[in-house]
Amino acid sequence: MKKRILTGDRPTGRLHLGHYVGSLKQREELQREYETFILIADVQALTTHFENPDLINDSIYQVTIDNLSVGLDPERVTFIQQSMVPAIHVLATFYSMFVTVNQLSHNPTIKTEAKNYGYREMSYGFLGYPVSQAADITFCYADLVPVGDDQVPHIELARKIVRKFNEMYGTSIKEPDYKLSNVSRLIGLDGASKMGKSLGNAIYLSDSPDEVWNKVRNGVTDTNRVSVKIPGNPDICSIYKYQVAFNKEGCEEIKEECKNAKIGCVQCKKILNEKINALLDPMREKRAYYETHKDAVRDIISSGTERANEIGNENLRGIEDKMHLVLK
Ligand code: TRP
């Protein structure tokens, strides 16, 4: 029996190259070794975007298509719409007794996010999303969660909750493990911060060749290099970081040429542009199919969600029984 992994995406917009480098690429590889569940976390999306339900609705499709376009195989992978799995939400409520408000407000990821979104007052739903995430992972007996470092506090919290819960009720809910992705985060083309949907510095998997070129063309390089004749410093160039990520074979040579003023920024950007488009072209092809077959995408989500409900309802029934909630 293959082990099961569960991973999640918030449908608050399309996925970009940062997501690809940080998780989708590994996810595509892992699907062969593990039974793969992908949760489209629309309830978690509501915690920050509840005022924009249409964006969430559209993004459920887009994020699913992003995953399919990267090569996640709908025959093999279970796609799940979080809001449509009641067991997750019941379990999250049960779990919420096993975590203190203090614990949640000191969660480092919650703190950073609260700062980024500029919240003056955090909602109860937002503060509690790590509890709901613990339910996302455990409702289906997931063994492993592939994560970036920002998600580690959430997995650790999930483990703590599960341990206490099992001790209290004699349940045997599986304590999840995480598999840390060891790739460094892709910075934005502005060179200023990580690539982010909300930061306007991202190349989307769904971008056209023209859009990609416009973004690459405007990417920030070594700002001291005002002329091709001056040697550049790849260490402080955002485009060079992309060469490392998307042009493994060629990046060393470019580094030398840049340092010796043998290649200009425009030429360097053209090379990068080609590499990125070569990566995106096969994705564009798959996307084009799904964009015109939205019914197929909806069926993939609904059949996966149905399967998740079968697993989740059975699991929940066992837990409720152990909690002495079932009247005899
Ligand atoms: N919090 C994750 C993110 O922001 C998304 C997510 C929701 C998730 N539920 C999950 C990740 C369960 C792993 C497991 O990217």
Side-chain angles (χ1 to χ4, degrees):
M1 271 257 288
K2 283 185 179 175
K3 286 196 169 180
R4 184 174 289 167
I5 58 173
L6 181 130
T7 163
D9 292 319
R10 286 184 197 186
T12 56
R14 297 166 180 234
L15 302 183
H16 52 62
L17 282 179
H19 295 117
Y20 178 76
V21 170
S23 73
L24 294 173
K25 188 166 185 276
Q26 293 89 301
R27 203 178 279 184
E28 197 278 327
E29 290 158 7
L30 290 170
Q31 69 178 329
R32 279 173 278 278
E33 195 183 334
Y34 295 94
E35 188 190 8
T36 299
F37 281 20
I38 296 176
L39 185 83
I40 309 295
D42 55 350
V43 176
Q44 199 174 110
L46 284 166
T47 66
T48 51
H49 289 67
F50 63 96
E51 289 156 311
N52 207 343
D54 290 337
L55 170 78
I56 295 177
N57 188 296
D58 182 53
S59 302
I60 292 170
Y61 279 105
Q62 287 305 331
V63 165
T64 306
I65 295 176
D66 283 325
N67 274 280
L68 294 167
S69 77
V70 162
L72 284 139
D73 175 359
E75 299 286 323
R76 219 195 286 247
V77 173
T78 304
F79 285 91
I80 305 161
Q81 186 185 352
Q82 187 194 27
S83 62
M84 295 296 151
V85 183
I88 294 177
H89 311 296
V90 175
L91 203 51
T93 304
F94 293 162
Y95 285 171
S96 71
M97 265 53 86
F98 289 79
V99 60
T100 64
V101 174
N102 194 45
Q103 242 175 326
L104 289 168
S105 53
H106 286 97
N107 177 303
T109 304
I110 288 275
K111 276 185 171 168
T112 321
E113 283 173 320
K115 220 182 281 164
N116 286 348
Y117 290 114
Y119 283 171
R120 264 173 292 146
E121 281 179 74
M122 228 186 281
S123 74
Y124 163 64
F126 178 80
L127 184 67
Y129 92 73
V131 182
S132 157
Q133 191 159 321
D136 295 343
I137 299 165
T138 52
F139 89 95
C140 63
Y141 315 93
D143 297 289
L144 207 57
V145 188
V147 290
D149 50 8
D150 63 316
Q151 296 295 304
V152 172
H154 298 339
I155 314 297
E156 274 165 358
L157 179 70
R159 291 171 61 89
K160 262 188 213 145
I161 292 175
V162 167
R163 221 171 297 146
K164 279 201 211 164
F165 195 93
N166 283 339
E167 231 166 78
M168 175 68 73
Y169 297 117
T171 42
S172 40
I173 299 168
K174 191 172 278 176
E175 249 183 73
D177 254 322
Y178 58 85
K179 186 176 169 62
L180 196 59
S181 129
N182 50 12
V183 264
S184 55
R185 221 169 259 286
L186 199 60
I187 58 152
L189 284 156
D190 50 6
S193 51
K194 72 169 190 177
M195 187 178 274
K197 317 185 231 221
S198 51
L199 306 166
N201 60 5
I203 296 178
Y204 293 91
L205 303 183
S206 49
D207 277 351
S208 69
D210 282 347
E211 286 168 317
V212 171
W213 173 238
N214 267 324
K215 290 174 185 177
V216 170
R217 192 167 56 85
N218 290 313
V220 175
T221 54
D222 172 2
T223 48
N224 295 323
R225 196 177 183 202
V226 288
S227 136
V228 190
K229 294 178 198 101
I230 304 172
N233 181 359
D235 294 339
I236 57 166
C237 173
S238 71
I239 295 292
Y240 184 69
K241 296 204 168 64
Y242 281 65
Q243 295 282 10
V244 174
F246 300 104
N247 180 14
K248 264 204 186 63
E249 330 74 54
C251 66
E252 274 305 313
E253 193 181 330
I254 287 176
K255 184 178 199 167
E256 284 313 304
E257 289 178 341
C258 172
K259 285 204 284 197
N260 295 303
K262 291 212 173 79
I263 186 174
C265 293
V266 176
Q267 199 191 340
C268 171
K269 285 174 171 176
K270 280 187 178 156
I271 294 170
L272 176 66
N273 186 56
E274 267 173 38
K275 291 287 172 188
I276 293 177
N277 280 315
L279 173 72
L280 296 184
D281 275 341
M283 298 184 200
R284 289 180 178 128
E285 221 169 279
K286 290 208 187 74
R287 171 179 303 276
Y289 172 81
Y290 287 114
E291 291 278 8
T292 52
H293 294 80
K294 270 203 155 171
D295 286 0
V297 181
R298 204 186 45 225
D299 287 348
I300 290 169
I301 300 170
S302 67
S303 62
T305 304
E306 198 177 310
R307 171 145 190 255
N309 273 315
E310 279 164 22
I311 298 169
N313 288 338
E314 203 211 309
N315 191 2
L316 183 64
R317 198 138 315 124
I319 292 168
E320 287 167 339
D321 191 38
K322 291 274 192 188
M323 292 173 77
H324 294 187
L325 293 172
V326 179
L327 301 180
K328 303 255 155 92

